[in-house]
Amino acid sequence: MSRATTDAVHVDDQLLAMYVAELGAIGDTPDGMYRFMYDDAWQRARDTLLGWIRDAGLEARVDAVGNVFGRLPGSGDGVVLTGSHVDTVPSGGKYDGALGVVGGLAALAALRQVGTPTTTLEVVSLCEEESSRFPANFFGTRAMLGLIAPDEPDRLRDRDGVTLAEAMRRAGLDPAAVATAERHDLRTFLELHIEQGRVLADEGVDIGLVEVIPGIAWETITVRGRQDHAGATPMDLRADALQAAAQMAREITVAVEGEGRPAVVTTGRWTVEPGQPSIVPGLARFSLDLRHPDLSVRDRLLDQVHRICADVAQRHGVEVDVVRDKDEEPATMDETLLDVLRGSAEACAASWRRMPSGAGHDSQLMASRVPTAMVFVPSVEGRSHTPAEYTSPEDCVRGASVLATALHRLAY
Amino acid sequence: MSRATTDAVHVDDQLLAMYVAELGAIGDTPDGMYRFMYDDAWQRARDTLLGWIRDAGLEARVDAVGNVFGRLPGSGDGVVLTGSHVDTVPSGGKYDGALGVVGGLAALAALRQVGTPTTTLEVVSLCEEESSRFPANFFGTRAMLGLIAPDEPDRLRDRDGVTLAEAMRRAGLDPAAVATAERHDLRTFLELHIEQGRVLADEGVDIGLVEVIPGIAWETITVRGRQDHAGATPMDLRADALQAAAQMAREITVAVEGEGRPAVVTTGRWTVEPGQPSIVPGLARFSLDLRHPDLSVRDRLLDQVHRICADVAQRHGVEVDVVRDKDEEPATMDETLLDVLRGSAEACAASWRRMPSGAGHDSQLMASRVPTAMVFVPSVEGRSHTPAEYTSPEDCVRGASVLATALHRLAY
């Protein structure tokens, strides 16, 4: 790893502002951003990025799953990769994922002016991270790491029943070629991302250096009671699935609140059946998202969640069923890379702090294979996964310049 | 009103069993009955009923909104009407509404054998009571009473965006003719219905004579919080709309449980947005159905509901908005008709009790214009608005025979 004692590398602020604005217009609606893997907006974003990559004098390529790469070839072996994901949550914002893609592109555009690196540099627009359309999250990163199960393309369906394979074909991709997306030449991964929380904004710090990404647990909690007439069934004879589920959601939340920061729990998706004002609900189903950077704390809280569900179900005379949908281990970032990023922040005259991530990121999977680190920039009021998500142009440029400086120190 | 001292009039048990089974097969699915106004199943039911009416030797007619009538002409003026509604709730049962239609038809078929009445008898299959497809409940009864607003057919839409007028046209009806459905010749209305509760079943009583139908209040409660990232937003900084709504729903329910029988409250329909596991909900909306036969008690409970919503909203840092969707006055049944029904039950050797209705019924509107009363038969385990809804063939026949006997006492 060469450690040139250069000055900071600054990205072009007007170019980055154009990237952010134009990518943020693709999939924008009055209800926020909707850019789901392989849909029309996603395809327009892919084509737009390919154009920008070529305009920047980089080599453009799309892999078998739709990850888009811009390459600045080096004289030696291996690849230093940067980037993030291009898909959004429903009703999302313009910065989550997107900033790491266009920030990485602006960084490589600036570095191309510096000269030919010793290690090849690539920026990637990962096709999928959010699991918004298919239950396939980290699909882009998993493809690069050879972690896509062979049956996923035909097995996974979106809410309209379209298989992932069919969606790939409609986007001009061949689902039979997924395995060819695997990479063996990656040496390092750096990801620029908005914080999505309010730590940096509250403390007035420019740059967050992520030490650890928490292990997320997702569960689906299904409550089955008894569907009855809303007028003719006395309260004392009911087994109302929704009332039991609401009580569970409240007790779970109060319990996790009692644990204190950084434990978080969210019950974000709800289905109530049959869903009529005049019918006592027979079924209620809700999602649980529970996170803590310490796996033992997280698992202790999950045990508490399950005890609450069983206890409330018994009190309400309903049945409860819990299914674990996702179970991620916490991921630790590379200390050497954190040192490089710290030095780069200082070279850019940016204040910094080390911190855990609140959210999950592609970096947590990449970290299982190659040295990986993340750079956070502030989110105004900590807002994210909402159209109100915002990071100032100055913070975007600062983060991309810290990234460019670090890439320069790593690859030249 | 002639009061002939005849014996009981018994309906044909095999004919009634056939009616119940065959009407119950129209719109039946693995998830229960789905027969919504003007849909395919509803049209098949209409056509089947018209065939049965003609087979019974009655005059068949469909009015401008799709109410189906079977008429046994009398020698004098006016009409004694019986019947109920043919539409179902989603995932409903085979008896709610349907029994009153086919029980009334079986009663008129039996009375036709007795001879020509002095007052014309009609049985009606009301096109709509449940408000399952359009927000237009009691549409059939309202049409007969001239209570359809002129703009309803073009204004009201189903969940697919189809207007009521368009749905009428697809079912062969002319929305411009709605006003012609109004009747001025009705003298009496009797409705046979399943209890939909468990009072009769628990007490082993054959027949319920309804004294009063409670005033139903429907409200929509909308909670607006702040949509945030589920990983990066600490619990103490959230304004989670769903958590506030769940707390409201629980406190409201506990308050109404504290009032005791016969107060009932139901929170049956839920919308949570954006509805993703990884996003703190920014909006939660739920329906409130609150009933009590004493209007002053109901309104006191509604005041309490509103205080709870405001209090919980303040504690959770969210905004709450309450809209009244329906506000019905309790309806009192006619004492003279209750006497006739009591005598008819005794003539049929049926045990009886007077009772309030739990549910709302077409009779509550009819009662505002003509003397009206209802006959309840037992619901096994009190189940209703579910595919598990069931009333034994013996109870169906007994109820229809009490109805036939009462119609005989009223119209001969």
Side-chain angles (χ1 to χ4, degrees):
Chain A
M1 192 182 297
S2 76
R3 186 72 64 94
T5 54
T6 60
D7 284 340
V9 179
H10 293 284
V11 303
D12 181 331
D13 57 352
Q14 295 198 5
L15 182 70
L16 183 58
M18 181 278 282
Y19 286 162
V20 168
E22 296 203 4
L23 184 56
I26 301 173
D28 196 21
T29 76
D31 294 325
M33 295 291 297
Y34 285 81
R35 199 165 56 218
F36 293 175
M37 181 162 68
Y38 304 143
D39 73 5
D40 289 346
W42 180 96
Q43 294 184 48
R44 289 202 303 280
R46 173 198 59 197
D47 298 341
T48 300
L49 286 165
L50 286 169
W52 290 340
I53 288 166
R54 294 190 190 99
D55 290 346
L58 306 173
E59 297 173 5
R61 184 173 74 86
V62 180
D63 75 7
V65 297
N67 293 322
V68 173
F69 296 91
R71 182 176 174 99
L72 177 59
S75 52
D77 290 339
V79 171
V80 171
L81 183 67
T82 189
S84 189
H85 61 95
V86 76
D87 65 318
T88 72
V89 293
S91 184
K94 297 186 199 306
Y95 297 85
D96 177 4
L99 180 64
V101 174
V102 297
L105 179 54
L108 263 62
L111 288 165
R112 183 170 172 276
Q113 310 298 325
V114 173
T116 301
T118 50
T119 307
T120 294
L121 286 165
E122 289 191 30
V123 58
V124 62
S125 166
L126 294 159
C127 62
E128 205 283 348
E129 189 255 3
E130 299 284 7
S131 202
S132 297
R133 180 174 178 188
F134 297 98
N137 73 328
F138 303 126
F139 197 70
T141 295
R142 290 194 293 121
M144 288 201 298
L145 302 182
L147 297 175
I148 307 278
D151 67 337
E152 280 186 64
D154 285 318
R155 177 167 50 84
L156 303 181
R157 292 177 186 272
D158 68 12
R159 291 184 186 191
D160 297 326
V162 178
T163 64
L164 203 155
E166 178 57 26
M168 290 184 76
R169 281 188 286 267
R170 291 184 198 170
L173 299 166
D174 175 9
V178 165
T180 67
E182 187 171 353
R183 300 284 295 262
H184 297 283
D185 54 353
L186 303 180
R187 298 290 175 267
T188 298
F189 184 62
L190 291 184
E191 184 173 9
L192 170 66
H193 207 284
I194 57 169
E195 181 197 337
Q196 307 182 274
R198 56 200 300 163
V199 173
L200 296 176
D202 280 2
E203 299 184 359
V205 174
D206 298 326
I207 294 290
L209 304 177
V210 175
E211 302 170 297
V212 62
I213 301 173
I216 302 177
W218 274 12
E219 295 188 331
T220 298
I221 298 173
T222 303
V223 180
R224 289 186 173 80
R226 204 174 60 181
Q227 181 177 327
D228 273 316
H229 190 286
T233 314
M235 301 307 287
D236 52 299
L237 297 176
R238 297 185 178 197
D240 184 326
L242 179 277
Q243 286 293 323
Q247 184 68 26
M248 290 174 195
R250 287 299 299 140
E251 292 193 19
I252 289 166
T253 301
V254 169
V256 174
E257 285 170 349
E259 178 71 24
R261 293 194 192 185
V264 284
V265 70
T266 304
T267 54
R269 173 181 283 165
W270 285 73
T271 305
V272 179
E273 295 179 358
Q276 287 289 109
S278 62
I279 310 183
V280 178
L283 182 143
R285 177 176 287 136
F286 64 99
S287 64
L288 182 90
D289 173 312
L290 197 150
R291 311 185 192 202
H292 196 286
D294 183 333
L295 197 61
S296 67
V297 176
R298 195 204 73 180
D299 288 347
R300 172 169 53 74
L301 290 171
L302 280 174
D303 286 344
Q304 198 172 349
V305 164
H306 301 157
R307 281 196 303 275
I308 287 169
C309 289
D311 178 49
V312 173
Q314 188 171 33
R315 271 151 45 206
H316 284 249
V318 299
E319 292 180 5
V320 65
D321 173 54
V322 180
V323 173
R324 182 76 54 94
D325 299 315
K326 177 150 73 174
D327 189 356
E328 294 167 356
E329 304 248 324
T332 306
M333 301 293 100
D334 183 78
E335 280 295 334
T336 304
L337 289 177
L338 287 172
D339 278 349
V340 172
L341 287 168
R342 181 181 46 74
S344 302
E346 287 168 357
C348 292
S351 59
W352 58 271
R353 63 161 286 171
R354 292 169 63 110
M355 61 188 296
S357 172
H361 296 287
D362 290 292
S363 285
Q364 71 197 67
L365 270 188
M366 292 298 297
S368 66
R369 295 289 180 88
V370 298
T372 295
M374 291 192 76
V375 178
F376 275 175
V377 289
S379 293
V380 170
E381 293 182 8
R383 308 296 305 278
S384 186
H385 284 193
T386 156
E389 184 179 273
Y390 182 69
T391 294
S392 74
E394 296 72 26
D395 283 328
C396 291
V397 167
R398 190 179 289 114
S401 295
V402 170
L403 176 69
T405 303
L407 292 171
H408 188 253
R409 291 181 175 201
L410 291 166
Y412 283 77
Chain B
M1 191 181 298
S2 77
R3 184 74 63 95
T5 56
T6 59
D7 285 339
V9 178
H10 293 285
V11 303
D12 180 330
D13 56 352
Q14 296 198 4
L15 181 71
L16 182 59
M18 182 277 282
Y19 286 162
V20 168
E22 296 202 6
L23 183 56
I26 301 173
D28 195 20
T29 77
D31 294 326
M33 295 291 297
Y34 284 82
R35 199 165 56 218
F36 293 175
M37 182 163 66
Y38 304 142
D39 73 5
D40 289 345
W42 181 95
Q43 293 185 49
R44 288 201 304 280
R46 173 199 59 199
D47 298 340
T48 299
L49 286 165
L50 286 169
W52 291 341
I53 288 166
R54 294 189 189 100
D55 291 346
L58 306 173
E59 296 173 5
R61 183 173 74 87
V62 180
D63 75 6
V65 296
N67 292 322
V68 173
F69 295 91
R71 182 177 174 99
L72 178 59
S75 52
D77 289 338
V79 172
V80 170
L81 181 69
T82 188
S84 189
H85 60 95
V86 76
D87 65 317
T88 72
V89 293
S91 184
K94 297 186 199 306
Y95 297 85
D96 178 3
L99 180 64
V101 174
V102 297
L105 178 53
L108 263 61
L111 288 165
R112 184 171 170 275
Q113 308 300 323
V114 172
T116 300
T118 49
T119 307
T120 294
L121 286 165
E122 289 192 33
V123 58
V124 61
S125 166
L126 293 160
C127 62
E128 207 279 348
E129 189 255 6
E130 298 285 7
S131 201
S132 298
R133 181 174 178 188
F134 297 97
N137 72 331
F138 303 124
F139 197 69
T141 296
R142 289 195 292 122
M144 287 199 301
L145 302 182
L147 297 175
I148 308 277
D151 67 337
E152 280 187 64
D154 285 317
R155 178 168 50 85
L156 302 181
R157 291 176 185 273
D158 67 11
R159 292 184 187 190
D160 297 326
V162 178
T163 63
L164 204 155
E166 178 57 26
M168 290 183 77
R169 281 188 286 266
R170 291 184 198 169
L173 298 166
D174 175 9
V178 165
T180 66
E182 187 170 354
R183 298 285 295 260
H184 297 282
D185 53 354
L186 303 181
R187 298 290 177 265
T188 298
F189 183 62
L190 291 185
E191 184 174 9
L192 169 65
H193 207 284
I194 58 169
E195 181 197 337
Q196 307 183 274
R198 55 201 299 163
V199 172
L200 295 176
D202 281 1
E203 298 184 358
V205 173
D206 298 327
I207 295 289
L209 304 178
V210 175
E211 301 170 297
V212 61
I213 301 174
I216 301 178
W218 274 12
E219 295 188 334
T220 297
I221 299 173
T222 302
V223 180
R224 288 186 174 81
R226 204 173 60 183
Q227 180 178 326
D228 273 316
H229 190 286
T233 314
M235 301 307 285
D236 51 299
L237 296 176
R238 297 185 178 195
D240 185 325
L242 178 279
Q243 287 291 324
Q247 185 67 26
M248 290 173 194
R250 288 299 299 138
E251 292 192 19
I252 289 167
T253 300
V254 169
V256 174
E257 285 169 349
E259 178 71 25
R261 294 191 190 188
V264 284
V265 70
T266 304
T267 54
R269 173 181 283 166
W270 284 72
T271 305
V272 179
E273 295 178 359
Q276 285 290 107
S278 62
I279 310 182
V280 178
L283 181 143
R285 177 175 288 137
F286 63 99
S287 64
L288 183 90
D289 173 312
L290 198 151
R291 312 185 190 201
H292 196 285
D294 183 334
L295 197 61
S296 68
V297 176
R298 196 205 71 179
D299 287 347
R300 172 168 55 73
L301 290 171
L302 279 174
D303 286 344
Q304 198 172 350
V305 163
H306 301 157
R307 281 197 303 274
I308 287 169
C309 288
D311 178 49
V312 172
Q314 188 171 34
R315 270 151 44 205
H316 285 249
V318 298
E319 291 179 7
V320 65
D321 174 54
V322 179
V323 174
R324 182 78 53 93
D325 300 314
K326 177 151 72 175
D327 189 355
E328 293 167 358
E329 304 248 325
T332 305
M333 300 293 100
D334 184 78
E335 280 297 334
T336 305
L337 288 176
L338 286 172
D339 278 348
V340 172
L341 285 168
R342 180 181 47 72
S344 302
E346 288 168 356
C348 292
S351 60
W352 59 271
R353 63 161 286 170
R354 292 169 64 110
M355 62 189 295
S357 172
H361 296 286
D362 290 291
S363 285
Q364 71 196 69
L365 271 188
M366 292 298 298
S368 67
R369 295 289 179 89
V370 299
T372 295
M374 292 192 75
V375 179
F376 275 175
V377 289
S379 294
V380 170
E381 293 182 8
R383 309 295 305 279
S384 185
H385 283 194
T386 158
E389 181 179 276
Y390 183 69
T391 294
S392 74
E394 295 72 24
D395 283 329
C396 291
V397 167
R398 188 179 291 114
S401 294
V402 170
L403 177 68
T405 303
L407 291 171
H408 187 252
R409 293 185 174 202
L410 291 166
Y412 283 79

